Amino acid sequence: MSHFTPTIVLLKEGTDSSQGKGHLLSNIDACVEIVNTLKTTLGPRGMDKLITNDRGKSTVTNDGATVMRLLDVVHPAVQTLVDIAMSQDSEVGDGTTSVVVFAGEILEQSRSFIKENVHPQTLIKAFRKACFKCRERIKEIAIESNVEDEKQWNSMLKKCASTAMNSKLIAGHKDAFSDMVVQAVRSLDPEFPEVDLIGIKKVGGGAMEESFLVNGVAFKKTFSYAGFEQQPKKFNEPKIALLNIELELKNEKENAEIRIKDPKEYQKIVEAEWELIYEKLEKIVESGANIVLSRLPIGDLATQYFADRDIFCAGRVEEGDMKRLSVITGKQIQSTTNGFTSEMVGKCELMEEKQIGSERYNIFTGFEKQGSSTIILRGGAEQFLAESERSLHDAIMVVHRAMLNSKVVAGGGAIEMELSQYLHEYAKTIYGKEQMLISAFAKALEIIPRQISQNAGFDSVDIMNKLRKGHFEKPKENIWMGVDIENEGVCNTMDSFVWEPSLMKLNMLSAATDAACLVLSVDETVKSPSLQENNKISMEGRK
């Protein structure tokens, strides 16, 4: 009698699973592949990527998070790299390319150990220890800026902003833009410095130098009805009503049915609607407001009504602009006119409508308290303006973080080389496999200065040798030695004012190490079949 071992079926038919060392190496290869796409965008001389989608929309960018988002990655392991780019973008705003490139290099260094059957958990433990040591070292050597000295503090923030813009399209105008960015961030409420309260408005045409900062709120003229041109376009010390109310006569819904016995009853219904809207308009006028802004439409009847009384109105104002006005005036957006009084009306010194390029803008300035500002961006192509906006967002986020954490480190690969040297020295004090693994982490850190010099077209081998020699021979004197982009060599990047908030580097180290460890800890991927595949399999089974 023969014994058959029954096959145990655990997963749905059509499920695809792969596991083991081969699978781990395959995940590492996939991650390294995407890093190779991204690494050429790193540094001040990094190249841009032109990404087009199936609708024909094209984006030119060298922002790591934007590239990762637009590439539409489907590989599950590579998705972790997309996630760390997004987390770096939301937490610090800059360093999105660095974090992905560094994570990829940690995985690249792990490859040979995996092939030699070193257990992934041994790698993970060593890398986490190396990351902890690096973070401690950054906290130890980061330079504290003197917040009390206004001039020095302002200068430090500008240096951080211009370093963030070095690698962007707007690098040629970084001095003017770093001024704008620092002013904009410092205009925020110190207790609740929300970056969303800095508006960036893009106006096509004109030169980049024509961009300017509005110490207040500015938004594009909204869709307007008949009567709008009769309204005044400039007010000194206006009173602003912020509403979330629709001020227009509603059309009857399709197929609406009203049963009436007498035609006069229909007239009463129409009149009731007119009375309702007139009542709302009268209450707004009685509050003393001479500027009426609403998130919802303001129709032609209301527009003409306000024009007759020398009141300016704008409907369908964007939510972000209404929020900024609400914060800067200290008044709530009202959703009813019942009980609407003069106390609910905001104030500013000046409101005027100005022509900027081919657009008309409503500009509000001179508020009692700061809390919001708007940057008006000028430039040529749409893609150029969009990339400029992303660059400014990065710089704003960096300055915002630098204000919360006043410590800075030198950029240009200097901090990475210092950490690499520090880890190599530390590795000599320990024994066993861990020594080699911590040295591998130290070697991975060198990818940042190497890639910066490669992307600038320099001899990266020569520059890396100079950097290693400087950091290892005189570690205390050359602690901030990094890549000199201007003169193709090495220099003290702290003296060259290439400064970055230490928070950015701390976040980069943690995020990259976490992502690399996550990829290394996966030994099996199980892919469940989709509903269509299930149906297809069952149909084939019936045949």
Side-chain angles (χ1 to χ4, degrees):
M1 186 179 166
S2 60
H3 293 280
F4 292 105
T5 308
T7 308
I8 299 168
V9 179
L10 281 177
L11 305 170
K12 272 193 284 188
E13 193 180 353
T15 301
D16 177 31
S17 77
S18 49
Q19 63 188 110
K21 188 166 84 173
H23 172 65
L24 184 50
L25 290 168
S26 154
N27 279 349
I28 290 173
D29 288 342
C31 292
V32 169
E33 193 62 41
I34 196 102
V35 169
N36 289 340
T37 305
L38 199 65
K39 60 164 59 162
T40 54
T41 69
L42 186 70
R45 302 282 165 87
M47 306 297 281
D48 293 343
K49 302 289 175 196
L50 172 58
I51 302 163
T52 58
N53 63 14
D54 51 3
R55 293 188 299 280
K57 186 176 185 294
S58 58
T59 306
V60 178
T61 183
N62 72 357
D63 179 57
T66 308
V67 173
M68 295 298 272
R69 188 173 60 247
L70 293 175
L71 284 178
D72 204 10
V73 172
V74 292
H75 193 286
V78 179
Q79 191 61 44
T80 59
L81 296 186
V82 178
D83 293 342
I84 57 159
M86 296 307 161
S87 82
Q88 180 81 4
D89 194 43
S90 62
E91 184 61 27
V92 192
D94 196 24
T96 48
T97 306
S98 306
V99 71
V100 176
V101 169
F102 179 47
E105 189 62 18
I106 296 173
L107 292 170
E108 180 66 72
Q109 293 293 331
S110 312
R111 196 201 303 260
S112 57
F113 295 109
I114 297 288
K115 284 180 179 172
E116 288 164 19
N117 294 319
V118 174
H119 197 279
Q121 288 301 337
T122 311
L123 287 164
I124 291 169
K125 187 183 169 192
F127 291 160
R128 289 204 186 282
K129 189 172 184 179
C131 176
F132 175 75
K133 285 283 173 191
C134 286
R135 285 176 62 88
E136 290 298 300
R137 181 65 176 156
I138 287 179
K139 288 172 186 171
E140 201 179 294
I141 61 174
I143 293 173
E144 178 83 57
S145 189
N146 185 0
V147 182
E148 302 303 318
D149 184 343
E150 184 65 26
K151 198 173 177 185
Q152 190 196 351
W153 179 227
N154 224 34
S155 169
M156 187 277 271
L157 293 174
K158 282 181 189 173
K159 302 288 189 304
C160 289
S162 61
T163 302
M165 287 187 243
N166 264 342
S167 60
K168 310 293 182 187
L169 276 174
I170 57 175
H173 308 284
K174 66 181 180 186
D175 291 341
F177 279 118
S178 56
D179 258 353
M180 278 186 221
V181 165
V182 172
Q183 277 185 54
V185 177
R186 297 200 74 178
S187 74
L188 298 174
D189 183 342
E191 284 184 34
F192 303 103
E194 287 182 59
V195 178
D196 294 352
L197 295 175
I198 300 171
I200 300 176
K201 304 291 178 184
K202 300 176 296 213
V203 184
M208 207 82 216
E209 302 88 70
E210 290 172 38
S211 304
F212 62 95
L213 177 77
V214 174
N215 288 315
V217 178
F219 56 83
K220 199 163 103 177
K221 179 179 100 61
T222 57
F223 179 81
S224 54
Y225 290 89
F228 176 80
E229 293 304 340
Q230 296 164 25
Q231 295 177 355
K233 302 294 183 290
K234 185 174 180 180
F235 291 88
N236 287 312
E237 299 190 355
K239 293 173 181 175
I240 309 160
L242 303 173
L243 309 173
N244 188 16
I245 304 170
E246 197 168 4
L247 295 174
E248 69 176 344
L249 292 164
K250 298 256 183 80
N251 290 329
E252 282 79 16
K253 286 182 180 156
E254 285 181 34
N255 302 325
E257 205 173 287
I258 307 172
R259 298 199 176 187
I260 49 176
K261 292 175 182 173
D262 186 348
K264 288 176 184 171
E265 288 180 24
Y266 178 69
Q267 189 59 34
K268 280 182 189 171
I269 294 165
V270 173
E271 283 171 4
E273 200 176 349
W274 281 72
E275 277 171 25
L276 279 170
I277 193 163
Y278 273 121
E279 192 184 331
K280 286 179 185 174
L281 296 173
E282 280 164 17
K283 283 183 179 169
I284 292 166
V285 174
E286 281 167 18
S287 72
N290 46 11
I291 292 180
V292 181
L293 305 175
S294 179
R295 275 181 56 192
L296 296 172
I298 295 179
D300 45 8
L301 169 75
T303 305
Q304 189 61 56
Y305 184 91
F306 289 135
D308 294 342
R309 287 156 184 77
D310 285 341
I311 294 172
F312 174 91
C313 71
R316 295 192 181 97
V317 180
E318 283 181 24
E319 189 175 346
D321 296 320
M322 290 296 281
K323 182 187 172 185
R324 288 184 200 109
L325 280 164
S326 173
V327 167
I328 206 167
T329 56
K331 303 295 177 185
Q332 293 294 321
I333 298 168
Q334 302 297 321
S335 52
T336 176
T337 53
N338 291 335
F340 190 67
T341 62
S342 57
E343 289 168 15
M344 298 171 182
V345 173
K347 293 173 186 169
C348 72
E349 278 178 21
L350 179 68
M351 176 272 164
E352 58 183 330
E353 192 167 288
K354 272 187 175 178
Q355 186 81 19
I356 302 173
S358 58
E359 308 281 3
R360 274 159 69 177
Y361 267 74
N362 299 323
I363 299 172
F364 298 79
T365 50
F367 291 89
E368 278 180 18
K369 66 169 195 168
Q370 290 184 312
S372 181
S373 51
T374 311
I375 296 172
I376 309 280
L377 258 185
R378 304 299 312 277
E382 190 186 327
Q383 289 97 329
F384 181 81
L385 276 173
E387 176 63 356
S388 303
E389 183 184 14
R390 283 189 288 272
S391 309
L392 277 181
H393 173 262
D394 283 8
I396 286 167
M397 287 293 287
V398 163
V399 172
H400 179 233
R401 291 295 168 196
M403 282 186 72
L404 297 177
N405 180 354
S406 55
K407 291 186 174 181
V408 294
V409 293
I415 185 70
E416 285 83 6
M417 285 307 295
E418 168 56 27
L419 294 175
S420 178
Q421 183 268 337
Y422 175 73
L423 281 182
H424 276 301
E425 292 300 323
Y426 170 70
K428 290 174 188 174
T429 65
I430 51 179
Y431 300 96
K433 287 180 198 166
E434 204 170 44
Q435 183 187 45
M436 293 170 69
L437 301 179
I438 285 176
S439 293
F441 192 94
K443 200 174 173 192
L445 281 159
E446 292 184 357
I447 187 68
I448 303 294
R450 187 188 305 123
Q451 202 58 48
I452 288 172
S453 47
Q454 263 180 23
N455 290 350
F458 300 161
D459 180 349
S460 60
V461 176
D462 179 47
I463 285 176
M464 289 309 293
N465 284 339
K466 284 179 183 171
L467 285 175
R468 285 193 199 104
K469 187 175 182 226
H471 279 271
F472 280 84
E473 284 185 357
K474 296 178 180 175
K476 287 184 180 173
E477 289 172 37
N478 295 326
I479 189 169
W480 300 125
M481 185 186 274
V483 181
D484 183 357
I485 287 291
E486 300 301 322
N487 307 309
E488 188 172 347
V490 295
C491 68
N492 183 323
T493 52
M494 187 59 83
D495 292 348
S496 304
F497 306 117
V498 182
W499 297 356
E500 295 177 305
S502 62
L503 191 74
M504 188 180 114
K505 291 298 175 190
L506 290 169
N507 203 70
M508 181 200 104
L509 283 164
S510 299
T513 309
D514 285 347
C517 290
L518 186 65
V519 173
L520 290 170
S521 66
V522 174
D523 74 334
E524 181 171 3
T525 301
V526 180
K527 188 181 176 189
S528 296
S530 64
L531 195 62
Q532 289 92 335
E533 283 176 17
N534 269 340
N535 292 340
K536 190 178 169 189
I537 291 163
S538 61
M539 291 295 285
E540 283 171 359
R542 283 176 200 166
K543 286 175 190 174

